[in-house]
Amino acid sequence: MCRSIKTLRPPALPHEATGDDIHAAALQYVRKVSGFRAPAAHNQEVFDRAVEEVAAATARLLADLEVRGAHPVRQPEPQEQEQGQE
């Protein structure tokens, strides 16, 4: 498996995966499968479409997974976020 792709669900990820997290994993997957870090101009459209399709499938998977025994993801309170920015 590609080492750059991280597990995108708790407890491996301490928060819910963001759109950026999902897109980055999809991009790494498509790069690995295609063998191209960056596609040639004539393959750019199909490469980008594959990334979007993998990202969409990943988002659906994460939204539908039921992880038994997992604790709900705790969102930081606004006060905690402000304290972390100081």
Side-chain angles (χ1 to χ4, degrees):
M1 181 169 181
C2 185
R3 291 180 213 166
S4 298
I5 299 175
K6 306 296 181 207
T7 301
L8 296 180
R9 65 169 181 81
L13 195 65
H15 55 81
E16 286 190 30
T18 65
D20 288 342
D21 294 331
I22 293 170
H23 185 269
L27 178 59
Q28 288 300 320
Y29 176 81
V30 171
R31 284 176 173 170
K32 185 70 166 185
V33 170
S34 70
F36 294 112
R37 185 184 181 310
H42 63 277
N43 284 325
Q44 187 68 52
E45 184 179 335
V46 71
F47 190 90
D48 291 343
R49 185 173 57 241
V51 171
E52 293 309 313
E53 289 174 359
V54 170
T58 301
R60 285 191 306 272
L61 171 67
L62 293 173
D64 294 346
L65 278 176
E66 179 182 330
V67 182
R68 293 187 178 174
H71 299 288
V73 176
R74 187 174 88 71
Q75 299 297 329
E77 297 295 324
Q79 295 169 343
E80 292 175 357
Q81 291 177 344
E82 290 171 10
Q83 291 172 355
Q85 294 176 358
E86 294 176 5

